[in-house]
Structure formats: structure tokens, C-alpha cells
Amino acid sequence: MMRNVFGPSRRRPSLSFKIVSLCVGGTIGALTLTLALYQWQAWLTARADLVEDQIMAAQRLGAVVSRAVDNHESTAAANVEPIFGNNPGALAAAYFSASGQRLVLRRPGQEALQLKPWGEAQSQARYIDRKLVIHTPVVVGGHRVGEMVLVASQERVWRTLLRNVAIGLGLALFSAALSGLIARVLVQRALSPLKDLQRAIAQVGETKDFSIVVAPKSADELGRLTGDFNR
């Protein structure tokens, strides 16, 4: 009599467990890849939209600030702070006049931000230290009168990204659970003829009664296998 020298055999996963696991894993993998690609595209789009919005905001602010600084218009000077304050993403801004004058606007806690002109001929946007920096020339009557520098936060972009990721994970978990449930029901129905055969074989082994017959439940491969057993 042979002994198992390797200790008790480990219980292997059932076929139904393997099929359900494969369905759930495939669903999670496909959804993860799809959501990752979607989120990457959405993140790039959100950053591009942020650049476009902040360039327009810098141009509007620059037009008002130039009138306040260069032309000493009191009405424009009164509108500078409200315009800057109504831009929720703006952290700091500075106007550098061609005549050497300068006006700096900052939100509380943003004193460390360095604002310097680049001398760009067109509006430029760069991401520096996880912040968006806009440089746009201020042109009046076809002449460059100064440069507007605006530093904006990416908080809106990251907040939208995190919200979308949370929603995507929730949908992925729900889809995986639903896929596993449906796969489990289908597998149980598909393997029901095999369980009937298994019980019949066990009964034959115990009773030695070879007249036991299992009723076929389908005409597919499992049904033909049941018919072969009945012969």
C-alpha cells in the first residue's frame, strides 16, 4: 500500500470556481484598461481646457491692469482686484509694464511664488512645480505695452480626476460582482449534467448496479456523454 509521503493533498479549486474567477478577472482587467485610457485622455483634455481658460483670464486681466497702471484709469484700477478674485484657479498674477512699472496680485499664502517676465511674443503656458504659469503679452493699438504673468492651480484638474477614478472604481467593482454572479448561475446550469453523472457513477460504484440511467438534459456534448454512460 502506497503512502502519501508529501502530506495531505491540497484541495484544488473546482471547475466552476475557475470559470467564475476567469470571468471576474477578465471583466476587471478589461474595465481597468478601458478606464485607464479614458482617464488619461480626460486628464489631458482637462489640462488643455485649463490652459485655454487661464490664457483668456490672463488676457482679460492684462487689458484692465495696463489701463490702470499705464493710463492711470481709476475705473480700471477698481476692477483689477475683483477680476483677479473671481478667477478661482488664480494663485498670483503680475503685470510688467514696458515703462518699468509693475503690479503684483497674490492670494494669501502665495508670497513665495516667483513672478518674472519672459518677453514672449505670444501667449505661452508651462507647467512648473505642479502649477500652471501663463505669460501673455499685453498689446494696445498694435504696440506691446507690457506682459501679464498668471500662476494658476491645477486643483480643479486633480479633483476632477480623483472623482472620475472613484466613480470608475465603483463601476468596475459593481460590474465585476455582476459578472461573477451571472457566470456562477450559468456555470451551475452548464455543469448540472456533470454533477448528475458524478452522482450516478458514485452510486454505481457503491451498489454495482449497472442499470442506473441518467436522463440527458441537452443534446450537446454533455448530453451525448450522458447517453454514452447510459449504454
Side-chain angles (χ1 to χ4, degrees):
M1 181 177 179
M2 295 182 62
R3 293 185 303 171
N4 187 354
V5 297
F6 299 103
S9 59
R10 298 175 60 183
R11 185 177 179 181
R12 295 183 179 180
S14 63
L15 178 59
S16 59
F17 177 81
K18 293 179 180 178
I19 295 176
V20 171
S21 300
L22 181 61
C23 292
V24 173
T27 301
I28 293 177
L31 286 175
T32 300
L33 178 59
T34 302
L35 289 173
L37 294 175
Y38 170 77
Q39 292 301 333
W40 173 254
Q41 184 63 40
W43 184 66
L44 293 178
T45 302
R47 280 166 60 99
D49 291 341
L50 179 63
V51 169
E52 183 178 356
D53 293 343
Q54 293 302 327
I55 285 179
M56 294 178 60
Q59 291 173 343
R60 289 195 300 268
L61 181 60
V64 175
V65 172
S66 68
R67 285 166 29 213
V69 173
D70 298 325
N71 301 335
H72 306 288
E73 295 183 14
S74 58
T75 303
N79 291 330
V80 170
E81 287 284 353
I83 292 176
F84 176 75
N86 288 334
N87 183 353
L91 299 177
Y95 173 72
F96 299 90
S97 173
S99 61
Q101 300 182 78
R102 183 176 66 172
L103 176 64
V104 179
L105 304 167
R106 298 180 188 271
R107 297 224 185 245
Q110 303 299 327
E111 290 76 12
L113 290 177
Q114 299 295 323
L115 304 174
K116 297 179 181 180
W118 289 348
E120 300 288 350
Q122 297 180 344
S123 297
Q124 298 291 331
R126 300 177 186 175
Y127 284 98
I128 302 175
D129 295 333
R130 302 188 66 178
K131 295 180 178 62
L132 176 62
V133 181
I134 303 292
H135 287 254
T136 184
V138 179
V139 179
V140 177
H143 300 283
R144 180 190 177 101
V145 297
E147 181 177 339
M148 193 73 210
V149 181
L150 177 66
V151 180
S153 170
Q154 295 189 73
E155 181 181 356
R156 184 183 70 182
V157 175
W158 287 107
R159 186 167 57 245
T160 301
L161 177 63
L162 292 176
R163 182 190 62 196
N164 291 340
V165 168
I167 294 174
L169 288 176
L171 291 175
L173 292 176
F174 173 78
S175 300
L178 182 61
S179 173
L181 179 61
I182 294 175
R184 180 179 177 82
V185 173
L186 294 177
V187 167
Q188 286 180 344
R189 291 184 179 181
L191 297 183
S192 177
L194 286 179
K195 292 181 178 179
D196 292 342
L197 282 175
Q198 185 179 19
R199 285 193 293 268
I201 292 172
Q203 187 175 357
V204 170
E206 292 176 0
T207 64
K208 307 302 181 183
D209 181 7
F210 294 96
S211 64
I212 295 176
V213 176
V214 179
K217 294 183 178 180
S218 63
D220 55 12
E221 290 82 354
L222 292 178
R224 292 193 293 271
L225 179 62
T226 302
D228 293 339
F229 171 82
N230 293 333
R231 295 195 193 97

